[in-house]
Amino acid sequence: MFRRTLMLPVVIGLVLAIVGSASAAIVHVRVEGKSQTIFGATQPRASATTALEALESASIGGEFYYHVQVTGFGPYVDHIGRNAAAGFGGWAFKVNGASPQVGADQIEVKDGDVVLWYWADFTEAGGPPTLELGREGNGCYRVVAKNDAGATVSVAATLRVDSRRVPMDGGRACPGPHRSLVRAIAFDAVRSNALK
């Protein structure tokens, strides 16, 4: 009887741990710094329940530092990698291309969501658009730029492939044979995810 009594809390604890982890979603996560990708150019998968937990998963996978400051409005990510927020520059996030109006700890993610953390220099109009790259047809790519609300906006993007830049016509380009990952870049926009 004594042995059963001791085992019961252990079994209950294991069941709760398994159930708790089962509620986590499998999301894609990427962290874009001021001048380079800090983590996940190809948006690898991570387990998380919130957008803030997605950053934690990325920091473990990519072994980079981040800091959360507790404010009157809740947790605020004020430092990722070597860049601390200051003035009008700081860290922002989007889920599926849109910036939520609440903190990252309040945004519950679901399977397949894309969580992007990025450095932004903010203006009166908000943050910079973020680029999303996708495949279109055989060997071609399409890029869309999204504003804070997740609406598509127009930008003049260029593909970066191998050691060359390929101009995009109407957000589309077919760079031909290449060995490296393909990314889209544009002036005053957050670089895109990378594709082969």
Side-chain angles (χ1 to χ4, degrees):
M1 184 70 172
F2 179 69
R3 185 177 215 160
R4 272 184 146 170
T5 307
L6 286 178
M7 293 300 287
L8 187 59
V10 172
V11 170
I12 291 172
L14 286 174
V15 168
L16 289 176
I18 291 168
V19 169
S21 66
S23 65
I26 303 300
V27 299
H28 297 274
V29 63
R30 181 165 51 104
V31 181
E32 292 292 340
K34 279 184 178 182
S35 61
Q36 67 182 1
T37 302
I38 294 173
F39 176 81
T42 59
Q43 300 181 154
R45 294 183 302 176
S47 176
T49 57
T50 66
L52 187 57
E53 283 184 17
L55 179 61
E56 171 65 12
S57 291
S59 76
I60 291 169
E63 296 183 349
F64 63 85
Y65 169 83
Y66 76 97
H67 182 262
V68 177
Q69 178 181 359
V70 178
T71 69
F73 299 105
Y76 168 66
V77 175
D78 64 351
H79 201 132
I80 298 178
R82 299 190 59 86
N83 300 113
F88 293 104
W91 292 96
F93 74 98
K94 288 185 176 182
V95 176
N96 299 326
S99 294
Q101 297 300 309
V102 297
D105 64 321
Q106 300 297 310
I107 296 298
E108 291 186 13
V109 293
K110 59 189 180 310
D111 287 340
D113 282 351
V114 176
V115 180
L116 170 64
W117 283 88
Y118 60 99
W119 176 266
D121 288 313
F122 294 95
T123 66
E124 292 174 3
T130 54
L131 302 178
E132 296 177 7
L133 186 65
R135 288 184 181 84
E136 183 177 88
N138 191 15
C140 297
Y141 299 88
R142 175 163 298 283
V143 68
V144 295
K146 294 194 174 177
N147 64 14
D148 290 343
T152 301
V153 294
S154 179
V155 297
T158 302
L159 283 186
R160 192 172 60 194
V161 56
D162 294 333
S163 60
R164 59 195 165 105
R165 293 176 186 243
V166 177
M168 301 189 85
D169 184 18
R172 184 177 187 275
C174 304
H178 57 278
R179 295 179 310 278
S180 67
L181 295 173
V182 176
R183 304 225 35 197
I185 55 173
F187 180 72
D188 281 343
V190 176
R191 71 192 69 76
S192 77
N193 54 303
L195 296 173
K196 184 70 176 151

mmCIF file of all heavy atoms in Angstrom, residues 64-83:
data_model
loop_
_atom_site.group_PDB
_atom_site.id
_atom_site.type_symbol
_atom_site.label_atom_id
_atom_site.label_comp_id
_atom_site.label_asym_id
_atom_site.label_seq_id
_atom_site.Cartn_x
_atom_site.Cartn_y
_atom_site.Cartn_z
ATOM 1 N N PHE A 64 20.954 31.865 -28.850
ATOM 2 C CA PHE A 64 21.124 33.305 -28.780
ATOM 3 C C PHE A 64 20.412 33.848 -27.544
ATOM 4 O O PHE A 64 19.499 33.241 -27.010
ATOM 5 C CB PHE A 64 20.631 34.007 -30.054
ATOM 6 C CG PHE A 64 19.154 33.850 -30.323
ATOM 7 C CD1 PHE A 64 18.230 34.706 -29.744
ATOM 8 C CD2 PHE A 64 18.702 32.857 -31.167
ATOM 9 C CE1 PHE A 64 16.870 34.566 -29.989
ATOM 10 C CE2 PHE A 64 17.341 32.703 -31.430
ATOM 11 C CZ PHE A 64 16.430 33.559 -30.838
ATOM 12 N N TYR A 65 20.854 35.010 -27.127
ATOM 13 C CA TYR A 65 20.341 35.674 -25.928
ATOM 14 C C TYR A 65 19.140 36.548 -26.280
ATOM 15 O O TYR A 65 19.101 37.176 -27.342
ATOM 16 C CB TYR A 65 21.452 36.544 -25.339
ATOM 17 C CG TYR A 65 21.000 37.485 -24.258
ATOM 18 C CD1 TYR A 65 20.864 37.056 -22.944
ATOM 19 C CD2 TYR A 65 20.716 38.819 -24.543
ATOM 20 C CE1 TYR A 65 20.449 37.916 -21.942
ATOM 21 C CE2 TYR A 65 20.302 39.695 -23.540
ATOM 22 C CZ TYR A 65 20.172 39.233 -22.251
ATOM 23 O OH TYR A 65 19.762 40.089 -21.269
ATOM 24 N N TYR A 66 18.178 36.585 -25.382
ATOM 25 C CA TYR A 66 17.129 37.599 -25.457
ATOM 26 C C TYR A 66 16.752 37.974 -24.028
ATOM 27 O O TYR A 66 17.000 37.227 -23.090
ATOM 28 C CB TYR A 66 15.912 37.131 -26.271
ATOM 29 C CG TYR A 66 15.001 36.160 -25.563
ATOM 30 C CD1 TYR A 66 13.853 36.605 -24.916
ATOM 31 C CD2 TYR A 66 15.272 34.794 -25.548
ATOM 32 C CE1 TYR A 66 13.007 35.715 -24.275
ATOM 33 C CE2 TYR A 66 14.433 33.906 -24.913
ATOM 34 C CZ TYR A 66 13.300 34.369 -24.274
ATOM 35 O OH TYR A 66 12.469 33.494 -23.640
ATOM 36 N N HIS A 67 16.163 39.145 -23.871
ATOM 37 C CA HIS A 67 15.794 39.634 -22.549
ATOM 38 C C HIS A 67 14.365 40.159 -22.588
ATOM 39 O O HIS A 67 13.961 40.829 -23.536
ATOM 40 C CB HIS A 67 16.736 40.765 -22.115
ATOM 41 C CG HIS A 67 16.428 41.268 -20.747
ATOM 42 N ND1 HIS A 67 15.675 42.402 -20.532
ATOM 43 C CD2 HIS A 67 16.756 40.785 -19.524
ATOM 44 C CE1 HIS A 67 15.559 42.602 -19.220
ATOM 45 N NE2 HIS A 67 16.197 41.644 -18.592
ATOM 46 N N VAL A 68 13.632 39.831 -21.557
ATOM 47 C CA VAL A 68 12.257 40.312 -21.424
ATOM 48 C C VAL A 68 12.191 41.243 -20.226
ATOM 49 O O VAL A 68 12.573 40.867 -19.116
ATOM 50 C CB VAL A 68 11.266 39.140 -21.235
ATOM 51 C CG1 VAL A 68 9.854 39.663 -21.016
ATOM 52 C CG2 VAL A 68 11.312 38.195 -22.414
ATOM 53 N N GLN A 69 11.726 42.453 -20.448
ATOM 54 C CA GLN A 69 11.533 43.428 -19.376
ATOM 55 C C GLN A 69 10.057 43.410 -18.998
ATOM 56 O O GLN A 69 9.185 43.449 -19.859
ATOM 57 C CB GLN A 69 11.931 44.818 -19.856
ATOM 58 C CG GLN A 69 11.728 45.894 -18.832
ATOM 59 C CD GLN A 69 12.117 47.261 -19.376
ATOM 60 O OE1 GLN A 69 12.548 47.416 -20.502
ATOM 61 N NE2 GLN A 69 11.945 48.261 -18.552
ATOM 62 N N VAL A 70 9.783 43.343 -17.705
ATOM 63 C CA VAL A 70 8.400 43.371 -17.248
ATOM 64 C C VAL A 70 8.000 44.831 -17.069
ATOM 65 O O VAL A 70 8.655 45.586 -16.360
ATOM 66 C CB VAL A 70 8.232 42.584 -15.928
ATOM 67 C CG1 VAL A 70 6.798 42.658 -15.448
ATOM 68 C CG2 VAL A 70 8.657 41.136 -16.137
ATOM 69 N N THR A 71 6.931 45.214 -17.768
ATOM 70 C CA THR A 71 6.437 46.588 -17.701
ATOM 71 C C THR A 71 5.011 46.575 -17.151
ATOM 72 O O THR A 71 4.449 45.515 -16.919
ATOM 73 C CB THR A 71 6.422 47.229 -19.106
ATOM 74 O OG1 THR A 71 5.407 46.589 -19.889
ATOM 75 C CG2 THR A 71 7.768 47.095 -19.797
ATOM 76 N N GLY A 72 4.438 47.745 -17.007
ATOM 77 C CA GLY A 72 3.054 47.842 -16.562
ATOM 78 C C GLY A 72 2.074 47.257 -17.561
ATOM 79 O O GLY A 72 0.942 46.934 -17.236
ATOM 80 N N PHE A 73 2.522 47.115 -18.818
ATOM 81 C CA PHE A 73 1.674 46.541 -19.862
ATOM 82 C C PHE A 73 1.926 45.051 -20.045
ATOM 83 O O PHE A 73 1.307 44.413 -20.876
ATOM 84 C CB PHE A 73 1.910 47.260 -21.192
ATOM 85 C CG PHE A 73 1.585 48.716 -21.129
ATOM 86 C CD1 PHE A 73 2.601 49.666 -21.082
ATOM 87 C CD2 PHE A 73 0.272 49.149 -21.103
ATOM 88 C CE1 PHE A 73 2.303 51.012 -21.017
ATOM 89 C CE2 PHE A 73 -0.039 50.483 -21.041
ATOM 90 C CZ PHE A 73 0.977 51.428 -20.992
ATOM 91 N N GLY A 74 2.889 44.498 -19.309
ATOM 92 C CA GLY A 74 3.224 43.086 -19.434
ATOM 93 C C GLY A 74 4.649 42.908 -19.924
ATOM 94 O O GLY A 74 5.425 43.860 -20.011
ATOM 95 N N PRO A 75 5.030 41.696 -20.289
ATOM 96 C CA PRO A 75 6.388 41.427 -20.751
ATOM 97 C C PRO A 75 6.690 42.126 -22.078
ATOM 98 O O PRO A 75 5.853 42.144 -22.981
ATOM 99 C CB PRO A 75 6.418 39.908 -20.936
ATOM 100 C CG PRO A 75 5.208 39.378 -20.272
ATOM 101 C CD PRO A 75 4.225 40.487 -20.206
ATOM 102 N N TYR A 76 7.889 42.709 -22.179
ATOM 103 C CA TYR A 76 8.330 43.397 -23.385
ATOM 104 C C TYR A 76 9.719 42.883 -23.738
ATOM 105 O O TYR A 76 10.641 42.968 -22.927
ATOM 106 C CB TYR A 76 8.353 44.911 -23.140
ATOM 107 C CG TYR A 76 9.067 45.690 -24.210
ATOM 108 C CD1 TYR A 76 8.567 45.753 -25.506
ATOM 109 C CD2 TYR A 76 10.251 46.366 -23.927
ATOM 110 C CE1 TYR A 76 9.228 46.474 -26.492
ATOM 111 C CE2 TYR A 76 10.915 47.089 -24.905
ATOM 112 C CZ TYR A 76 10.397 47.136 -26.187
ATOM 113 O OH TYR A 76 11.055 47.848 -27.157
ATOM 114 N N VAL A 77 9.887 42.346 -24.941
ATOM 115 C CA VAL A 77 11.192 41.866 -25.400
ATOM 116 C C VAL A 77 11.998 43.096 -25.800
ATOM 117 O O VAL A 77 11.694 43.752 -26.799
ATOM 118 C CB VAL A 77 11.052 40.866 -26.563
ATOM 119 C CG1 VAL A 77 12.432 40.478 -27.093
ATOM 120 C CG2 VAL A 77 10.277 39.637 -26.115
ATOM 121 N N ASP A 78 12.999 43.418 -24.994
ATOM 122 C CA ASP A 78 13.777 44.630 -25.235
ATOM 123 C C ASP A 78 15.189 44.353 -25.744
ATOM 124 O O ASP A 78 15.954 45.284 -25.970
ATOM 125 C CB ASP A 78 13.838 45.496 -23.970
ATOM 126 C CG ASP A 78 14.571 44.828 -22.820
ATOM 127 O OD1 ASP A 78 14.897 43.629 -22.911
ATOM 128 O OD2 ASP A 78 14.812 45.509 -21.802
ATOM 129 N N HIS A 79 15.514 43.082 -25.943
ATOM 130 C CA HIS A 79 16.875 42.752 -26.381
ATOM 131 C C HIS A 79 16.872 41.361 -27.004
ATOM 132 O O HIS A 79 16.382 40.413 -26.396
ATOM 133 C CB HIS A 79 17.804 42.755 -25.161
ATOM 134 C CG HIS A 79 19.240 42.934 -25.475
ATOM 135 N ND1 HIS A 79 20.024 43.833 -24.816
ATOM 136 C CD2 HIS A 79 20.058 42.326 -26.363
ATOM 137 C CE1 HIS A 79 21.258 43.772 -25.276
ATOM 138 N NE2 HIS A 79 21.299 42.852 -26.222
ATOM 139 N N ILE A 80 17.389 41.248 -28.215
ATOM 140 C CA ILE A 80 17.630 39.954 -28.854
ATOM 141 C C ILE A 80 19.011 40.018 -29.485
ATOM 142 O O ILE A 80 19.346 40.998 -30.155
ATOM 143 C CB ILE A 80 16.573 39.604 -29.927
ATOM 144 C CG1 ILE A 80 15.173 39.483 -29.313
ATOM 145 C CG2 ILE A 80 16.940 38.296 -30.636
ATOM 146 C CD1 ILE A 80 14.066 39.189 -30.323
ATOM 147 N N GLY A 81 19.789 38.962 -29.279
ATOM 148 C CA GLY A 81 21.142 38.955 -29.830
ATOM 149 C C GLY A 81 21.947 40.100 -29.255
ATOM 150 O O GLY A 81 21.980 40.314 -28.055
ATOM 151 N N ARG A 82 22.565 40.875 -30.127
ATOM 152 C CA ARG A 82 23.398 41.988 -29.684
ATOM 153 C C ARG A 82 22.674 43.331 -29.722
ATOM 154 O O ARG A 82 23.281 44.365 -29.485
ATOM 155 C CB ARG A 82 24.655 42.048 -30.549
ATOM 156 C CG ARG A 82 25.485 40.770 -30.430
ATOM 157 C CD ARG A 82 26.822 40.868 -31.068
ATOM 158 N NE ARG A 82 27.652 41.921 -30.529
ATOM 159 C CZ ARG A 82 28.435 41.816 -29.459
ATOM 160 N NH1 ARG A 82 28.474 40.689 -28.786
ATOM 161 N NH2 ARG A 82 29.190 42.832 -29.073
ATOM 162 N N ASN A 83 21.380 43.325 -30.054
ATOM 163 C CA ASN A 83 20.675 44.586 -30.238
ATOM 164 C C ASN A 83 19.618 44.833 -29.179
ATOM 165 O O ASN A 83 18.631 44.103 -29.086
ATOM 166 C CB ASN A 83 20.034 44.631 -31.624
ATOM 167 C CG ASN A 83 21.076 44.517 -32.719
ATOM 168 O OD1 ASN A 83 21.114 43.543 -33.442
ATOM 169 N ND2 ASN A 83 21.951 45.496 -32.828
#
